[in-house]
Amino acid sequence: MRNMIRIAPAFLLDKGSRSTGYPCTTVPPENGTEQPFRLGNRLFWLDGAGIISGVAILESSELSLVIPNRFSVAPFDEIAAWWGKNAKNPCALYVLDEFSDEALCLQDPLGGAIVFYASFDTKSVISTDINRLRETASKNGHSLTKSVEFQIERLLLGNGGLTPASFNGVNKLNPFEYIQIKHGSFEIKRYDLDRFYENLDYAALVKIVAEDITAAVSAVSQSSSIQKISHLTGGFDSRLVLGASIASGSAADFLFFCSGPDGTTDRVVADGITRHYGLRRSNGAGLTASPSLSMPERLMAPLFHSGGLTSTGPLGREQAVSVSAAGGGYGEVYRTFFGNRLSEYGSKVPSEGELLSKFVPMGMDGHPYISASSINSLSKRLHQNFDYLSGIYSEKDFLGDAFYTYTRNRYHIGQSSLLWSRVGSRFDPLYSVAGYYLAKSVPQSARNANVIGFDLMGTFDPSLLQLPFDYDRFNSDLLRSRRRPAPRAFETSDSAIIHESSIAPNNSTDSRFLSVLGDIDIKEPEFSASDRRNGVVRANKLGVNFWQILHLESGKKILASSVDKVSDSDIFDFIDKKYVTSLIGSKEPTKKELRDIYSLSGILSWYAFG
């Protein structure tokens, strides 16, 4: 059982050397490097947690449960094909032959564990951990600079991905791609999955997806983790995971967790489902961020910990914990996410201006502090991305949802899952390559109706469709093709639901971000009862969260310190320095200005100090 935080490997290639490179095992074991699984002359490392050939694999040593013995000598193409067909969940496999020049870096097929790579003269670095890649490059004489454009995308789109990484000069693999290494050079190859799924009809694909989900839930229930926790809300995707656990007979192996106070819609629905099915409930999510009294840490530490990729996830102080946590991630793949934004264009690929209006609807008006050249550059990258996808997919009504899988799903869902799986084991049982092909095979109206999700839930347990959701999930598109089942109300009960204690990560006292707070000399303010009352009144008046008012001065101080640090930087070619300065001096910021203070303080502090 793993008791250390996982540190992902990195391959360092040198065309001037016969050596392929090496996973960076020079980091002392106490810092978290786990030992690889050895098979003959070959070494295998896992980053993330995976469902591999129907088995939940939580660490590299457990690869012995699934990797065939023939892989000690098998061609590397065969290993890659096996991984592409059998790996589910955001995870990556690193393979190195000690006595040849061959190696592999295999991301999961949908690319949740993004493989990043950068080349400098004769050397290249490859890793699924952007921090690891940066450190390895730096140790070999190549310093990476931070990408402002990636952070602009995060501000405007909610995620990066058009710009491949948070550091300049770093590229990424697309979904369905992997890297093969030989003689100090690498080649990008593609998993050959079309032939498995392209010619299957709807019924056959639904059957495969249902089997993928139930097998994943069953595998997590049998994993080596001490505790298994599944999230349960009033929504659809977590209920679909529950349905698979009921269908596989594994619901009793899980504790189910729902966040939020009593009386909220999520809690009312989750409590009703708990009583209806006799579920066991948990008082915690299992994989939870370190407790912190510091609002700046809660807001900004994930961006530092992730190397600038995402502002959600661990804070960087969490220690390893034996918890497998299952959620509803990848359920968006079955239904539409971006498809409706482009439905009016039919088979036409929208122009740059049209795409920008759909994905950044307020443009310059909504973000006046972003330079026009930044907006135009983003618009070009957005259009190039859709041009690329239109060359792959003939189903033009699928382009918006393909764009979701190629960008947001990877940088938001996939990265969050991967980061948490270096602490514990985060699983998304709805992850299914067949599900992606299934979504592509149906028209936009069917994805908008979530027909696939409803058919899957009906396969698992039809009664789940009868019970209340957080809101009416049967839209007009769905009701044109599926009948509404007879509704059933939750049974009323005065008995309290018992919540069992969940395991949570222990915490260290230091992180990348806390060292930055020390440099800025931010001290957590103390608030009197009067301060809190006044803060509540002001927050209600503006329609913002209470903490945004109470921690305003800390946010402004971080922003001011960051501006001082990068005052001569080219970052202000992208962001209006006068506007940022006005935020620092604002006494009574508006709702929008409050949001900008916290957004910009996170990005500028990472750019200045990260």
Side-chain angles (χ1 to χ4, degrees):
M1 183 180 298
R2 177 163 54 94
N3 56 13
M4 299 178 292
I5 296 296
R6 176 182 292 124
I7 296 176
F11 282 133
L12 174 65
L13 285 60
D14 190 343
K15 293 179 183 177
S17 168
R18 185 179 181 277
S19 172
T20 303
Y22 54 88
C24 295
T25 53
T26 54
V27 176
E30 62 265 26
N31 284 356
T33 303
E34 65 180 23
Q35 296 302 306
F37 164 61
R38 176 182 288 277
L39 191 61
N41 296 327
R42 291 177 176 173
L43 305 177
F44 299 79
W45 289 262
L46 179 73
D47 188 20
I51 306 295
I52 316 300
S53 299
V55 180
I57 304 299
L58 314 186
E59 57 187 63
S60 297
S61 64
E62 293 184 349
L63 289 168
S64 62
L65 300 174
V66 293
I67 291 182
N69 288 332
R70 70 178 186 277
F71 283 3
S72 63
V73 295
F76 273 36
D77 283 346
E78 182 181 341
I79 298 175
W82 170 83
W83 180 262
K85 187 176 180 182
N86 290 285
K88 298 174 180 66
N89 212 57
C91 59
L93 182 69
Y94 294 74
V95 187
L96 175 68
D97 192 310
E98 290 187 303
F99 293 99
S100 77
D101 289 330
E102 289 187 277
L104 290 168
C105 190
L106 306 171
Q107 64 181 6
D108 60 277
L110 294 179
I114 305 168
V115 172
F116 297 103
Y117 61 94
S119 296
F120 323 90
D121 301 324
T122 63
K123 294 181 180 179
S124 298
V125 184
I126 300 165
S127 184
T128 46
D129 184 337
I130 195 72
N131 287 319
R132 195 74 164 133
L133 186 150
R134 179 196 187 188
E135 292 161 2
T136 304
S138 179
K139 289 176 182 177
N140 286 273
H142 301 283
S143 297
L144 298 176
T145 59
K146 295 166 188 166
S147 170
V148 182
E149 290 188 318
F150 187 91
Q151 301 305 328
I152 296 295
E153 288 175 21
R154 289 188 56 251
L155 280 173
L156 299 185
L157 301 175
N159 54 269
L162 302 178
T163 299
S166 50
F167 292 93
N168 294 310
V170 178
N171 214 327
K172 70 169 191 311
L173 295 188
N174 287 315
F176 308 108
E177 293 180 342
Y178 66 93
I179 282 179
Q180 185 162 356
I181 300 164
K182 193 170 185 178
H183 301 307
S185 298
F186 68 92
E187 181 181 0
I188 298 174
K189 294 190 170 184
R190 186 174 174 86
Y191 299 117
D192 183 15
L193 296 175
D194 288 353
R195 63 192 179 93
F196 292 117
Y197 301 114
E198 283 287 9
N199 297 319
L200 297 176
D201 62 16
Y202 182 85
L205 282 169
V206 167
K207 184 174 183 293
I208 293 172
V209 176
E211 290 169 351
D212 282 347
I213 299 172
T214 52
V217 170
S218 180
V220 175
S221 75
Q222 299 171 46
S223 74
S224 60
S225 290
I226 292 173
Q227 197 169 69
K228 294 89 176 178
I229 295 177
S230 186
H231 291 187
L232 182 62
T233 69
F236 193 90
D237 296 336
S238 65
R239 191 178 300 193
L240 194 55
V241 175
L242 169 64
S245 72
I246 293 171
S248 64
S250 59
D253 297 321
F254 288 90
L255 295 176
F256 290 85
F257 172 72
C258 180
S259 62
D262 287 336
T264 58
T265 301
D266 274 345
R267 283 292 298 272
V268 169
V269 174
D271 290 353
I273 290 175
T274 296
R275 292 188 173 97
H276 186 88
Y277 290 98
L279 305 178
R280 300 164 57 211
R281 284 284 285 277
S282 165
N283 65 358
L287 296 181
T288 54
S290 298
S292 175
L293 297 176
S294 165
M295 184 55 63
E297 184 187 21
R298 290 201 291 273
L299 285 176
M300 302 172 194
L303 188 62
F304 282 70
H305 181 64
S306 67
L309 291 176
T310 177
S311 57
T312 61
L315 304 184
R317 294 195 289 112
E318 297 79 7
Q319 297 177 349
V321 63
S322 184
V323 171
S324 287
Y330 288 81
E332 302 91 348
V333 173
Y334 304 147
R335 58 181 182 272
T336 194
F337 194 91
F338 288 142
N340 284 340
R341 297 189 187 188
L342 306 179
S343 57
E344 66 188 87
Y345 299 106
S347 60
K348 169 194 166 191
V349 178
S351 67
E352 277 187 31
E354 289 168 334
L355 282 171
L356 187 67
S357 70
K358 295 300 181 182
F359 287 91
V360 189
M362 292 186 293
M364 289 291 295
D365 294 336
H367 309 277
Y369 57 88
I370 304 295
S371 69
S373 61
S374 290
I375 299 284
N376 291 336
S377 177
L378 183 147
S379 180
K380 289 183 184 301
R381 295 195 301 277
L382 186 62
H383 193 258
Q384 288 168 356
N385 202 283
F386 271 86
D387 267 350
Y388 170 78
L389 293 172
S390 68
I392 299 175
Y393 299 107
S394 58
E395 304 88 353
K396 301 308 178 190
D397 71 343
F398 183 63
L399 292 183
D401 293 321
F403 176 66
Y404 170 77
T405 292
Y406 273 67
T407 53
R408 182 170 178 80
N409 197 50
R410 305 179 73 196
Y411 287 84
H412 183 58
I413 304 295
Q415 276 300 296
S416 178
S417 181
L418 185 66
L419 289 163
W420 278 117
S421 287
R422 293 174 184 152
V423 176
S425 303
R426 164 74 192 199
F427 288 98
D428 295 303
L430 304 184
Y431 183 112
S432 171
V433 174
Y436 180 77
Y437 281 86
L438 180 57
K440 181 170 73 73
S441 74
V442 301
Q444 170 61 22
S445 58
R447 289 194 300 278
N448 185 56
N450 195 17
V451 165
I452 294 169
F454 278 89
D455 287 351
L456 287 168
M457 192 173 289
T459 299
F460 295 149
D461 187 337
S463 67
L464 286 166
L465 294 171
Q466 298 178 279
L467 297 171
F469 286 93
D470 48 3
Y471 62 87
D472 187 5
R473 297 278 174 160
F474 292 81
N475 64 25
S476 57
D477 279 340
L478 180 64
L479 292 173
R480 277 192 282 271
S481 59
R482 299 291 187 273
R483 292 187 184 278
R484 183 191 293 271
R488 299 173 62 181
F490 292 127
E491 297 177 6
T492 58
S493 174
D494 295 328
S495 61
I497 293 175
I498 297 173
H499 289 75
E500 300 180 37
S501 296
S502 66
I503 303 172
N506 290 322
N507 310 284
S508 63
T509 57
D510 195 20
S511 70
R512 293 176 190 265
F513 183 68
L514 287 184
S515 63
V516 170
L517 276 186
D519 292 340
I520 303 175
D521 192 28
I522 294 288
K523 292 182 173 58
E524 195 67 19
E526 295 182 3
F527 302 109
S528 66
S530 176
D531 291 333
R532 292 181 180 277
R533 284 194 299 271
N534 291 336
V536 169
V537 170
R538 189 174 167 197
N540 289 340
K541 182 179 179 180
L542 289 176
V544 300
N545 288 321
F546 169 63
W547 60 260
Q548 289 179 293
I549 300 297
L550 284 190
H551 295 274
L552 174 60
E553 293 308 313
S554 293
K556 286 161 60 175
K557 187 168 184 179
I558 291 174
L559 188 58
S561 298
S562 302
V563 170
D564 287 344
K565 181 84 170 178
V566 296
S567 58
D568 297 327
S569 168
D570 62 356
I571 193 170
F572 294 114
D573 294 338
F574 299 83
I575 297 172
D576 182 1
K577 188 174 181 179
K578 288 183 179 179
Y579 178 73
V580 178
T581 303
S582 73
L583 291 177
I584 295 168
S586 60
K587 301 297 184 184
E588 297 283 339
T590 65
K591 181 178 181 178
K592 180 186 179 306
E593 287 170 339
L594 271 173
R595 184 180 67 242
D596 291 343
I597 285 170
Y598 288 105
S599 296
L600 288 170
S601 61
I603 287 172
L604 288 176
S605 64
W606 178 76
Y607 193 82
F609 299 101

